[in-house]
Amino acid sequence: MAEVEYTFLGNTGLKVSNICLGTMTFGSDEKMSRGGTLALSEAESHRILDRFTELGGNFIDTANMYHYGMSEAIIGNWLEKQDRNRFVIATKVFVPMDRTNPNACGLSRQHIMWSINESLRRLKTDYIDLYQVHAWDCVTPVEETFGALDDLVKAGKIHYIGVSNLCGYQLQRVVDVCKAKGLQPVITLQQQYSLLCRFSEFEEFNVCKDEKVGILPWSPLKGGLLSGKYYRGMTQDKLDELKSRIAYATKNKDTVQAISPDFEKAGEQFFEVLDHLKTIADKYSKTVAQVSLRWLLQKPAVTSVIIGVRTLAQLEDNMGASAGWRLTDEEMATLDEASAITDVPYPYSFVFALKKMRTAKFDSKMFAKK
């Protein structure tokens, strides 16, 4: 396998592997396990961490909410046996961790200060490299949240600040407040992004490019749809054999579709994208998943792609997208076109049309009198 590539984390001097290991699969509880499909024991999780580092990975992403702290604790038990300085650890704050406490939620100064100490304790470390707000808090002022995070940077408890799951105006608001108040800047946006989810290209990623914020795609294989295991006409019994999140989501319609999509709702465009992925994969002797990840890795402003795995085989396969090969411009364009959002709403349709007109090569014949 080719050596893993390293990139700079956003607009910083910190190098991370361009494949980041997401750890939502570490630990188990019924609510997050989706019928047991996500659950990994501590021993299984440690084997995946060991192999990830053997393959050159140094970037690990978790969240305090993953199995109510179990993911962080599993990583902490592994991390205390490692050279801490060799790894970049990212975690998140927002979701309630104590249902009996009305203040144990959101992005208030109080909740952030309590949460960081709990995460540090579980992770068994003195600092967190990248501390991310998990979502937008519609109640707490931006100044309060990022003032608290700035204090944590100054205290040495965190090194960098990131955000996740934000709209365009929210991201720009955060960037502007941090500039105006002289606070530590936001360096990354963790956002759902894949060939089957490109909505953030409308606004959020343009903010990232303008403000030098690195993009960390999550669910890069759209919950497994782009893994290569699914095909036209697949029946529920065949889905059940995979014991996957998608199989569970298809049978249990009340699950969170953003994380575990319903296979029955996969439209014709998905199968067209899949056909192109298979053709390209065959050309390079790669897998559909590797081509899907490679498409993301070659997108502007993408720093590292966050993968989630349940087996060592899945890890090995995903890591094969990191280095040693590239898609051509033509192949990127083919995948772009096949996965394009076809029903672009106003005002984006209007804005994009004007952009196309404004950036087109000038041709005076267009204005000649007939």
Side-chain angles (χ1 to χ4, degrees), residues 29 37 44 161 198 223 231 295 328 341:
D29 68 79
T37 60
E44 291 170 323
I161 300 167
R198 297 179 58 185
Y231 52 87
W295 176 83
T328 66
I341 299 171

Side-chain angles (χ1 to χ4, degrees), residues 245-263:
R245 283 183 289 161
I246 289 174
Y248 181 80
T250 304
K251 182 179 291 185
N252 300 273
K253 306 299 183 180
D254 59 339
T255 194
V256 181
Q257 296 299 312
I259 298 174
S260 305
D262 183 343
F263 180 72

Side-chain angles (χ1 to χ4, degrees), residues 99-291:
R99 299 289 181 179
T100 67
N101 183 355
N103 287 312
C105 179
L107 300 176
S108 68
R109 173 176 286 271
Q110 177 169 324
H111 187 232
I112 287 173
M113 294 304 177
W114 177 80
S115 295
I116 187 66
N117 289 326
E118 289 294 294
S119 287
L120 289 170
R121 176 182 61 80
R122 286 188 291 264
L123 287 164
K124 297 184 178 180
T125 182
D126 295 328
Y127 65 93
I128 289 166
D129 300 277
L130 178 64
Y131 199 46
Q132 304 158 104
V133 302
H134 212 156
W136 178 259
D137 188 338
C138 61
V139 177
T140 306
V142 173
E143 293 83 354
E144 177 180 343
T145 296
F146 289 87
L149 294 172
D150 184 77
D151 288 343
L152 290 179
V153 173
K154 292 173 181 175
K157 291 188 175 184
I158 66 176
H159 290 172
Y160 299 103
I161 300 167
V163 294
S164 182
N165 303 312
L166 265 56
C167 297
Y169 86 88
Q170 295 168 344
L171 178 59
Q172 190 65 62
R173 168 75 174 151
V174 168
V175 168
D176 291 345
V177 165
C178 290
K179 285 182 180 179
K181 300 292 183 180
L183 304 175
Q184 293 291 324
V186 166
I187 66 161
T188 55
L189 169 68
Q190 187 173 146
Q191 202 85 335
Q192 184 177 175
Y193 188 33
S194 71
L195 281 161
L196 301 180
C197 183
R198 297 179 58 185
F199 298 104
S200 290
E201 292 178 358
F202 286 176
E203 290 198 26
E204 293 82 3
F205 293 168
N206 286 302
V207 177
C208 289
K209 294 171 192 175
D210 290 344
E211 303 293 349
K212 296 182 173 59
V213 175
I215 299 168
L216 303 175
W218 65 264
S219 196
L221 301 180
K222 191 56 177 174
L225 270 181
L226 295 169
S227 64
K229 296 181 292 187
Y230 301 92
Y231 52 87
R232 284 183 178 86
M234 199 171 191
T235 57
Q236 185 65 52
D237 62 320
K238 293 298 183 182
L239 284 171
D240 290 341
E241 290 177 8
L242 297 175
K243 297 181 180 179
S244 66
R245 283 183 289 161
I246 289 174
Y248 181 80
T250 304
K251 182 179 291 185
N252 300 273
K253 306 299 183 180
D254 59 339
T255 194
V256 181
Q257 296 299 312
I259 298 174
S260 305
D262 183 343
F263 180 72
E264 291 179 352
K265 294 183 179 179
E268 181 59 30
Q269 186 179 32
F270 160 64
F271 295 111
E272 291 178 4
V273 169
L274 194 59
D275 288 341
H276 289 295
L277 287 170
K278 288 178 178 176
T279 298
I280 296 171
D282 289 344
K283 172 185 173 182
Y284 291 102
S285 296
K286 298 291 183 180
T287 65
V288 166
Q290 288 171 340
V291 177

